[in-house]
Amino acid sequence: MHDDRSLVEGRLERALRQFLRPAQYADRVPLVLSVWHVPGEPVPVDQALQAAYEPFMTGTVWGKPWSTSWFRIEGRVPEEWAGRPVEVVIDPGFTGDGPGFQAEGLLYDAAGVPLKGIHPRNRHFTVAAPAQGGEAVHLLLEAAANPAVLHGFEPTSLGDVLTAGDRPIYRFAAADLAVLDKDVWQLVLDIEVLSELMHELPVDRPRRHEILRALEDMLDALDLHDVSGTAAAARAELTDALSRPASASAHRISAAGHAHIDSAWLWPLRETVRKASRTFANVTALAQDYPELLFACSQAQQYAWVKEHQPHIWERIKKAVEEGNWAPVGSMWVESDANMPGGEALARQIIHGKRFFAQELGVETEEIWLPDSFGYTAAFPQLAKLAGVRWFLTQKLSWNQSNKMPHHTFWWEGIDGTRVFTHFPPVDTYNSQFHGRELAHAERNFAEKGRATRSLVPFGWGDGGGGPTREMLEKARRLRSLEGSPRVAIERPSAFFAAAEEEYGAHAPVWSGELYLELHRATYTTQAKTKQGNRRSEHALREAELWCTAAAVRDPAYAYPYDALDRLWKTVLLHQFHDILPGSSIAWVHREARETYARVLAELEEITAEAVRALGPGSPAVLNASPYERTEVVGDGLVTVPGLGSVAVSAAVGAGVRVEQAGDTILLENQWMRVTVDRDGLLASVRDRVADREVLSGPGNLLQLHPDHPNAWDAWDIDRHYRRRHTDLTAAESVELVESGPLRATVRVVRAFGTSRVTQEIRLTGASRRLDIVTDIDWQESEKVLKAAFPLDVHAERSAAEIQFGHVHRPTHTNTGWDAARFEICAHRWLRVAEDGYGVAVLNDSAYGHDVTRTPHEHGLGTTVRLTLLRAPHSPDPETDLGTHRFTYALLPGAGVGDAVAEGLALNLPLRSAAAPSLEPLVSVDNPAVTVESVKLAEDRGGDVVVRLYESRGGRARATLTTGFPVARAQVADLLERPLHEAPPEFELRPFQILTLRLRPA
């Protein structure tokens, strides 16, 4: 036989494009439109129903960026269409961009009840199937003129309503009544399934040629000038090809409907409220026609929005959950970033997520569902297990630049040794459309072939929402068992995980440690004020809960602010979403985030101040929200304050700081270190007086400015080539001793570079082992990255970086591709490098990005630690981080892990001065390796005190908890504060083990 494959395939492609797809709607009549353009922000449907509308014609431009227009859509089904399926088909001006990245809308009926969303791949609303003829159509479309922001990562002003302009960006194309020709529509789907499968099969496979000839016979049976009249006959030619069952060894795909909705990204938070409503309306409507649909949906925050703003859709969701069409998944408040949230914040993500799903929908979720976050902390397995979570899902590591993950189904082992059964869908997307190319890739890519037989495919339009479509459900029906294709079964993720674990759990490999994404490394730094707002809010919440709890156990009349703290926690958790905290959203999102954090911190300050007042009268006192005792300079004296307690201010004076100026150098010295600042304001020497050794191997606190031009993903990425060029910012406008003892010494250094200006104060006190560097900068650079370097005379084989509830070690060498790929890493409050017997830590109050390199010097091998301070990418926010910033970082010589933990907490939890009584610690632990993470009242409002603590040094720890109040009962609880068993008087923790205690005051 002659090889005419390309001819047949070309014939098929043209028939589909030119004749079949346009014939899916047999007849059309235009509907009558009128419009009301909302003058400001979106309004509820009740207000739109009362508005004054004006006539509107298709072909008219509408919609300045980010505006809303309400369209009345009216008409009547022609009598001659009786017996035929009739739909409203709407095109408000869709572009080539996908759903969620352009105009979209929500249809309501005449009474204001939401019906379904409208987007480029879901333009229809069924009026009647079949129609009687003469039905009146009265609909209301809430149309959002959302602009497409991301085009080649070029700067644009469209990312903020304040700068986007007033020019309309859409032209309303059509609003019609149309007759759906189901035979043609079904034929198109038949062809797509078979053609897509055919193109994935090897050329030498008989099945490929059988499909080709079936498609050719179909084309022969089809009259392109009478597609409607011959579609049924054409479909008959494909019956045999579509009825061939899959082989017994075919890969098994568990498919779950899905709609990844970024809680903010290229749109503001307020738009996500509407995106969720549109998508959820679509899904609940689709389930009426396709009862086999199972929709997996995460992010409790989005459910809460819909419950508040769209009660009709909320009731439909509850019904879908009851009927089995909807599966809440994910166990978290939002799909957060999984690197930067603090330990307690990550715990609260799970606590608030699981509690919402249990209380509102009666569902105990069993998985962490984070398909799109930018790497995953090794603290997750333990947190998951403590919350009753059995499984973990992501696919993001398929984006790795350098190294391919060796497993798709495996046990993930955390820093404490806890393991969670984990799956990376080998389809490598969370937005599958059931395209043959996707399914073939899932089967070929699956790393566990030979031992395991199944994987999961989330299907539906996503990122900007949209969800599954009827076309996807039709494809799934054809793909249940089709020769040459994987078997497709729509089912709950929990069903997949249970089957996969039963099949493969005993043999699955283990991945130990963090799941580091070899991409998007700049998200540890971009939008510094968003990150600073998060860090400060986390610690302010910690402090507020502590003193509110202290007030509650001391004064029965004190009203613990449950509602306010709950609301504030959820606000902070929302802003940990994986495109807000990482800094990868549009300018509007980050402008609002800065404003929100300011409000959060102001309210928490009021709550904390009120709680401190409720502790009782007292003289001027100092309160310590850290669990570790500390001695600091307060006013003109030294004060030693117990951890989680308070003490009256006294006039005690201890060892001070000595200052000496010799020529161009300034010497600062206390009992722990001697610091030399040279004429350029650099740290020429830091001498550890206790260890009697030099800490630095070169100039310390050296600011270095690099060009920063990633290949793509400007806000997200910092690419390795940035290191090849840099400027050392050594020139100083002034170096001035501004404080010279007896308890404090400060050197102020001012530098100017480009159009930017930085003032740093190098501070040493008589009470501190830290050397603090307080930085004020007016940052006006373009596509640059600023780093602060500390070349340390420490031969470190690895670094230790604080993460949630512990720390993670990373090699300092680049022996393997995996090591080399970690050229930018994340740390929380501290990063430590050490050789046997000696270590140095670098602390910070708001940074996350770091790099650590091995640095030869004249005396041997050292280690350079750099903090990544600021960036200036142009997309999606063209003015990222421009403006003034204030932050502090510090050098801690001679630091053990315990020192780094305690001083990192001290830097982030400043002592509080207030009129208060001297208080013994609310709780204390007799082993410093055990760190108290949080103290609060129980979420069930029963009055119990909840204490969460963990082993922080990486070893075994035996400890006893002492309370500053009488305790009637002590229980060990799970992460959600549910009692498990009685707590022993003394407890033993394994390395990095988290323990939650529930204490009932007597």
Side-chain angles (χ1 to χ4, degrees), residues 46 62 69 126 166 261 281 298 368 396 400 404 413 468 472 638 643 648 712 741 759 777 784 821 837 901 965 984:
D46 291 346
W62 69 280
S69 295
T126 301
D166 295 329
I261 305 176
S298 64
I368 300 292
K396 196 64 178 184
N400 273 6
K404 180 179 173 64
E413 182 181 274
M472 295 175 189
L638 298 180
T759 299
I777 182 168
K784 302 285 198 307
V901 171
F965 57 94

mmCIF file of all heavy atoms in Angstrom, residues 46 62 69 126 166 261 281 298 368 396 400 404 413 468 472 638 643 648 712 741 759 777 784 821 837 901 965 984:
data_model
loop_
_atom_site.group_PDB
_atom_site.id
_atom_site.type_symbol
_atom_site.label_atom_id
_atom_site.label_comp_id
_atom_site.label_asym_id
_atom_site.label_seq_id
_atom_site.Cartn_x
_atom_site.Cartn_y
_atom_site.Cartn_z
ATOM 1 N N ASP A 46 -27.744 42.216 42.992
ATOM 2 C CA ASP A 46 -28.916 42.988 43.403
ATOM 3 C C ASP A 46 -28.824 44.427 42.910
ATOM 4 O O ASP A 46 -29.826 45.016 42.482
ATOM 5 C CB ASP A 46 -29.062 42.972 44.927
ATOM 6 C CG ASP A 46 -29.438 41.602 45.457
ATOM 7 O OD1 ASP A 46 -29.831 40.748 44.640
ATOM 8 O OD2 ASP A 46 -29.311 41.376 46.674
ATOM 9 N N TRP A 62 -15.943 47.764 24.436
ATOM 10 C CA TRP A 62 -16.393 47.908 25.820
ATOM 11 C C TRP A 62 -15.219 47.554 26.734
ATOM 12 O O TRP A 62 -14.256 46.918 26.337
ATOM 13 C CB TRP A 62 -17.586 46.987 26.128
ATOM 14 C CG TRP A 62 -17.208 45.523 26.148
ATOM 15 C CD1 TRP A 62 -17.051 44.714 25.062
ATOM 16 C CD2 TRP A 62 -16.895 44.727 27.298
ATOM 17 N NE1 TRP A 62 -16.658 43.455 25.451
ATOM 18 C CE2 TRP A 62 -16.554 43.431 26.831
ATOM 19 C CE3 TRP A 62 -16.860 44.970 28.668
ATOM 20 C CZ2 TRP A 62 -16.209 42.385 27.677
ATOM 21 C CZ3 TRP A 62 -16.504 43.934 29.519
ATOM 22 C CH2 TRP A 62 -16.185 42.655 29.031
ATOM 23 N N SER A 69 -18.841 45.290 33.267
ATOM 24 C CA SER A 69 -20.057 45.706 32.568
ATOM 25 C C SER A 69 -21.095 44.607 32.713
ATOM 26 O O SER A 69 -20.781 43.423 32.590
ATOM 27 C CB SER A 69 -19.767 45.964 31.082
ATOM 28 O OG SER A 69 -18.880 47.052 30.914
ATOM 29 N N THR A 126 -27.309 26.332 28.121
ATOM 30 C CA THR A 126 -28.410 25.578 27.535
ATOM 31 C C THR A 126 -29.743 26.192 27.936
ATOM 32 O O THR A 126 -30.069 26.300 29.124
ATOM 33 C CB THR A 126 -28.357 24.109 27.979
ATOM 34 O OG1 THR A 126 -27.107 23.542 27.557
ATOM 35 C CG2 THR A 126 -29.499 23.314 27.366
ATOM 36 N N ASP A 166 -7.832 54.010 30.501
ATOM 37 C CA ASP A 166 -9.283 53.974 30.302
ATOM 38 C C ASP A 166 -9.699 53.484 28.922
ATOM 39 O O ASP A 166 -10.889 53.477 28.616
ATOM 40 C CB ASP A 166 -9.870 55.378 30.511
ATOM 41 C CG ASP A 166 -9.709 55.851 31.949
ATOM 42 O OD1 ASP A 166 -9.731 54.987 32.847
ATOM 43 O OD2 ASP A 166 -9.557 57.067 32.158
ATOM 44 N N ILE A 261 -7.083 27.614 40.589
ATOM 45 C CA ILE A 261 -7.421 29.045 40.607
ATOM 46 C C ILE A 261 -6.413 29.754 41.505
ATOM 47 O O ILE A 261 -6.450 29.604 42.727
ATOM 48 C CB ILE A 261 -8.855 29.283 41.123
ATOM 49 C CG1 ILE A 261 -9.869 28.468 40.311
ATOM 50 C CG2 ILE A 261 -9.190 30.771 41.044
ATOM 51 C CD1 ILE A 261 -11.298 28.578 40.826
ATOM 52 N N ALA A 281 -19.730 27.595 39.657
ATOM 53 C CA ALA A 281 -21.037 27.524 38.992
ATOM 54 C C ALA A 281 -20.964 26.590 37.797
ATOM 55 O O ALA A 281 -21.892 25.791 37.556
ATOM 56 C CB ALA A 281 -21.470 28.923 38.561
ATOM 57 N N SER A 298 -9.406 22.445 45.994
ATOM 58 C CA SER A 298 -8.649 22.790 47.192
ATOM 59 C C SER A 298 -8.964 24.222 47.622
ATOM 60 O O SER A 298 -9.870 24.859 47.097
ATOM 61 C CB SER A 298 -7.150 22.631 46.907
ATOM 62 O OG SER A 298 -6.742 23.554 45.909
ATOM 63 N N ILE A 368 -2.391 16.619 51.105
ATOM 64 C CA ILE A 368 -1.887 17.948 50.783
ATOM 65 C C ILE A 368 -1.858 18.036 49.272
ATOM 66 O O ILE A 368 -1.323 17.156 48.602
ATOM 67 C CB ILE A 368 -0.484 18.180 51.367
ATOM 68 C CG1 ILE A 368 -0.495 18.042 52.891
ATOM 69 C CG2 ILE A 368 0.056 19.541 50.935
ATOM 70 C CD1 ILE A 368 -1.258 19.132 53.610
ATOM 71 N N LYS A 396 4.971 20.191 40.308
ATOM 72 C CA LYS A 396 5.777 21.349 39.932
ATOM 73 C C LYS A 396 7.230 20.994 39.650
ATOM 74 O O LYS A 396 7.894 21.679 38.875
ATOM 75 C CB LYS A 396 5.708 22.401 41.037
ATOM 76 C CG LYS A 396 6.178 23.786 40.602
ATOM 77 C CD LYS A 396 5.276 24.379 39.521
ATOM 78 C CE LYS A 396 5.683 25.763 39.117
ATOM 79 N NZ LYS A 396 4.745 26.354 38.143
ATOM 80 N N ASN A 400 11.716 21.404 36.710
ATOM 81 C CA ASN A 400 13.137 21.521 37.014
ATOM 82 C C ASN A 400 13.954 21.839 35.768
ATOM 83 O O ASN A 400 13.773 21.222 34.720
ATOM 84 C CB ASN A 400 13.664 20.218 37.623
ATOM 85 C CG ASN A 400 13.492 20.166 39.124
ATOM 86 O OD1 ASN A 400 12.887 21.049 39.725
ATOM 87 N ND2 ASN A 400 14.013 19.120 39.748
ATOM 88 N N LYS A 404 15.934 15.751 36.459
ATOM 89 C CA LYS A 404 14.612 15.142 36.451
ATOM 90 C C LYS A 404 14.447 14.298 37.706
ATOM 91 O O LYS A 404 15.314 13.485 38.042
ATOM 92 C CB LYS A 404 14.442 14.267 35.209
ATOM 93 C CG LYS A 404 13.095 13.571 35.100
ATOM 94 C CD LYS A 404 13.028 12.746 33.818
ATOM 95 C CE LYS A 404 11.761 11.901 33.750
ATOM 96 N NZ LYS A 404 10.546 12.708 33.697
ATOM 97 N N GLU A 413 10.279 11.572 52.774
ATOM 98 C CA GLU A 413 10.728 11.553 54.156
ATOM 99 C C GLU A 413 11.163 12.947 54.595
ATOM 100 O O GLU A 413 12.000 13.578 53.954
ATOM 101 C CB GLU A 413 11.903 10.579 54.290
ATOM 102 C CG GLU A 413 12.449 10.424 55.697
ATOM 103 C CD GLU A 413 13.614 9.460 55.707
ATOM 104 O OE1 GLU A 413 13.357 8.237 55.817
ATOM 105 O OE2 GLU A 413 14.778 9.909 55.558
ATOM 106 N N PRO A 468 -13.398 21.836 34.318
ATOM 107 C CA PRO A 468 -13.728 20.875 33.273
ATOM 108 C C PRO A 468 -14.830 21.411 32.352
ATOM 109 O O PRO A 468 -15.635 22.257 32.742
ATOM 110 C CB PRO A 468 -14.231 19.660 34.055
ATOM 111 C CG PRO A 468 -13.805 19.871 35.462
ATOM 112 C CD PRO A 468 -13.727 21.348 35.664
ATOM 113 N N MET A 472 -14.479 17.709 27.644
ATOM 114 C CA MET A 472 -13.553 16.848 28.383
ATOM 115 C C MET A 472 -14.256 15.616 28.917
ATOM 116 O O MET A 472 -13.707 14.501 28.888
ATOM 117 C CB MET A 472 -12.914 17.641 29.534
ATOM 118 C CG MET A 472 -12.022 18.774 29.090
ATOM 119 S SD MET A 472 -11.433 19.739 30.523
ATOM 120 C CE MET A 472 -10.668 21.141 29.704
ATOM 121 N N LEU A 638 21.045 47.281 81.445
ATOM 122 C CA LEU A 638 20.883 45.920 80.947
ATOM 123 C C LEU A 638 19.723 45.260 81.677
ATOM 124 O O LEU A 638 19.558 45.440 82.885
ATOM 125 C CB LEU A 638 22.153 45.108 81.182
ATOM 126 C CG LEU A 638 23.433 45.590 80.492
ATOM 127 C CD1 LEU A 638 24.589 44.682 80.831
ATOM 128 C CD2 LEU A 638 23.216 45.649 78.995
ATOM 129 N N GLY A 643 12.292 33.845 79.257
ATOM 130 C CA GLY A 643 11.519 33.531 78.068
ATOM 131 C C GLY A 643 10.046 33.451 78.381
ATOM 132 O O GLY A 643 9.635 32.875 79.393
ATOM 133 N N ALA A 648 10.509 43.694 85.676
ATOM 134 C CA ALA A 648 10.548 45.141 85.856
ATOM 135 C C ALA A 648 11.909 45.678 85.432
ATOM 136 O O ALA A 648 12.947 45.037 85.629
ATOM 137 C CB ALA A 648 10.273 45.506 87.308
ATOM 138 N N ALA A 712 13.722 34.079 31.353
ATOM 139 C CA ALA A 712 12.259 34.242 31.350
ATOM 140 C C ALA A 712 11.821 34.403 32.797
ATOM 141 O O ALA A 712 12.641 34.423 33.710
ATOM 142 C CB ALA A 712 11.582 33.036 30.698
ATOM 143 N N GLY A 741 29.068 54.280 73.284
ATOM 144 C CA GLY A 741 29.048 53.661 74.591
ATOM 145 C C GLY A 741 28.291 54.496 75.619
ATOM 146 O O GLY A 741 27.714 55.536 75.283
ATOM 147 N N THR A 759 21.957 53.586 53.673
ATOM 148 C CA THR A 759 22.555 53.938 54.960
ATOM 149 C C THR A 759 22.508 52.700 55.843
ATOM 150 O O THR A 759 21.440 52.103 56.039
ATOM 151 C CB THR A 759 21.782 55.090 55.625
ATOM 152 O OG1 THR A 759 21.832 56.236 54.775
ATOM 153 C CG2 THR A 759 22.385 55.431 56.972
ATOM 154 N N ILE A 777 17.476 51.786 52.800
ATOM 155 C CA ILE A 777 17.900 51.933 51.417
ATOM 156 C C ILE A 777 16.786 52.550 50.582
ATOM 157 O O ILE A 777 15.611 52.192 50.734
ATOM 158 C CB ILE A 777 18.351 50.575 50.819
ATOM 159 C CG1 ILE A 777 18.849 50.732 49.377
ATOM 160 C CG2 ILE A 777 17.253 49.539 50.912
ATOM 161 C CD1 ILE A 777 19.558 49.499 48.855
ATOM 162 N N LYS A 784 18.519 44.689 38.547
ATOM 163 C CA LYS A 784 19.721 44.417 39.330
ATOM 164 C C LYS A 784 19.319 43.578 40.545
ATOM 165 O O LYS A 784 18.162 43.563 40.959
ATOM 166 C CB LYS A 784 20.372 45.718 39.817
ATOM 167 C CG LYS A 784 20.776 46.709 38.738
ATOM 168 C CD LYS A 784 22.026 46.255 38.014
ATOM 169 C CE LYS A 784 22.698 47.399 37.258
ATOM 170 N NZ LYS A 784 21.791 48.107 36.345
ATOM 171 N N ALA A 821 22.625 22.894 41.210
ATOM 172 C CA ALA A 821 21.352 23.568 40.938
ATOM 173 C C ALA A 821 20.885 24.409 42.116
ATOM 174 O O ALA A 821 20.084 25.330 41.943
ATOM 175 C CB ALA A 821 20.285 22.541 40.580
ATOM 176 N N GLY A 837 33.729 22.025 65.656
ATOM 177 C CA GLY A 837 34.054 22.823 66.825
ATOM 178 C C GLY A 837 33.768 24.298 66.724
ATOM 179 O O GLY A 837 33.888 25.018 67.723
ATOM 180 N N VAL A 901 19.203 29.535 66.800
ATOM 181 C CA VAL A 901 17.760 29.493 67.050
ATOM 182 C C VAL A 901 17.352 30.619 67.988
ATOM 183 O O VAL A 901 16.415 31.385 67.718
ATOM 184 C CB VAL A 901 17.354 28.127 67.643
ATOM 185 C CG1 VAL A 901 15.901 28.154 68.118
ATOM 186 C CG2 VAL A 901 17.546 27.018 66.618
ATOM 187 N N PHE A 965 0.786 28.729 85.579
ATOM 188 C CA PHE A 965 -0.597 28.660 86.057
ATOM 189 C C PHE A 965 -0.881 27.209 86.429
ATOM 190 O O PHE A 965 -0.275 26.277 85.885
ATOM 191 C CB PHE A 965 -1.571 29.153 84.983
ATOM 192 C CG PHE A 965 -1.476 28.401 83.685
ATOM 193 C CD1 PHE A 965 -2.305 27.316 83.406
ATOM 194 C CD2 PHE A 965 -0.536 28.771 82.726
ATOM 195 C CE1 PHE A 965 -2.213 26.619 82.215
ATOM 196 C CE2 PHE A 965 -0.441 28.086 81.513
ATOM 197 C CZ PHE A 965 -1.273 27.008 81.260
ATOM 198 N N PRO A 984 2.658 12.744 79.585
ATOM 199 C CA PRO A 984 3.496 12.344 80.731
ATOM 200 C C PRO A 984 4.144 13.568 81.368
ATOM 201 O O PRO A 984 4.302 14.610 80.720
ATOM 202 C CB PRO A 984 4.539 11.428 80.089
ATOM 203 C CG PRO A 984 4.642 11.917 78.677
ATOM 204 C CD PRO A 984 3.259 12.382 78.293
#
